[in-house]
Amino acid sequence: MVSGKREISNNEAEPKIRKKTRTKKLICWLFIDLLVAVVIFALLLHRPGRYDPADRDAVGLEDGQVSPYLTHELSPQFYNGAQRGEPFELVITQKGINEIVAGWGWPRMSEGIMLYAPAVVFSPGSVVLMGTANVKGVEFVVTIVLKPSIDERGLSNLPVAEVKVGAMNITPLAKMMAKKMYTQRLATMSVDTRSFYAKIAAALLNGEPFEPVFEVDRRKLRIEGIIVENEKLTAHLVPAS
């Protein structure tokens, strides 16, 4: 009789033990999910240390005003070199390009997302584009790393090496979405795919190399080489037939 009572007691206890075990596992998994969500959110909200957008007011630009760096330094350097009809180098400084970009009129809206505070960083072999995206009141810093180069065929390549939101790498997803957007734009809009700007867009969005030849003042120029260093980009240009 004693043995029977013990068996009944043990049988009644087993469901309670299993229930407690399941509850503990559930709590454990909920904690892990919560922890992962917090980590992901923290990564998305991360602000890269090199992100330092130029302040338009600090630069001294008013609405509609063009950057002095563009009008007084970069443009004369470019047009004077083009008119000589000889090979020349166009040097773009990081500070100067950020002054130009700061005056482009921000913020801008795209697909319901507010974009502002852009920044360009030149580092060895890379051009880094950064900016803040505001999605329903939450700010994320988006980083796009480009690796511009001229290949052995003389074609220009602008591969997107990396795309990050905060500290989270979303490169495969971003490339897939970019190609889809590019294909949709071509299908729904009339685009002159032969224009220099369209070729740049195709290189960025669809990874298509292009002949880096463009025309200025009825003179054709070819980009023969690109060197990106710390805080400086140098383009080697030559006359093209």
Side-chain angles (χ1 to χ4, degrees), residues 7-8 10 17 31 40 51 82 118 172 189 194 224 231-232:
E7 289 178 2
I8 294 172
N10 290 337
I17 293 173
F31 176 76
I40 290 174
Y51 178 49
M189 297 177 62
R194 297 170 298 177
E224 198 172 62
E231 301 188 3
K232 183 176 71 173

Side-chain angles (χ1 to χ4, degrees), residues 5 51 64 75 80 82 84 104 142 151 212 222 239:
K5 288 182 179 180
Y51 178 49
S75 292
N80 290 340
R84 285 196 297 267
W104 281 354
V142 179
D151 64 24
R222 173 186 291 275

Side-chain angles (χ1 to χ4, degrees), residues 86 88 112 155 201 235:
E86 299 176 355
F88 69 98
L155 298 180

Side-chain angles (χ1 to χ4, degrees), residues 50 69 74 90-98 100-101 119-130 146 148 226-235:
R50 59 181 173 175
Y69 174 76
L74 193 59
L90 182 69
V91 180
I92 305 173
T93 66
Q94 180 174 300
K95 180 181 178 183
I97 194 66
N98 277 291
I100 294 173
V101 172
V120 181
V121 178
F122 292 147
S123 61
S126 301
V127 176
V128 184
L129 310 177
M130 309 177 80
L146 308 178
I226 298 175
I227 299 174
V228 189
E229 305 169 275
N230 280 324
E231 301 188 3
K232 183 176 71 173
L233 182 149
T234 303

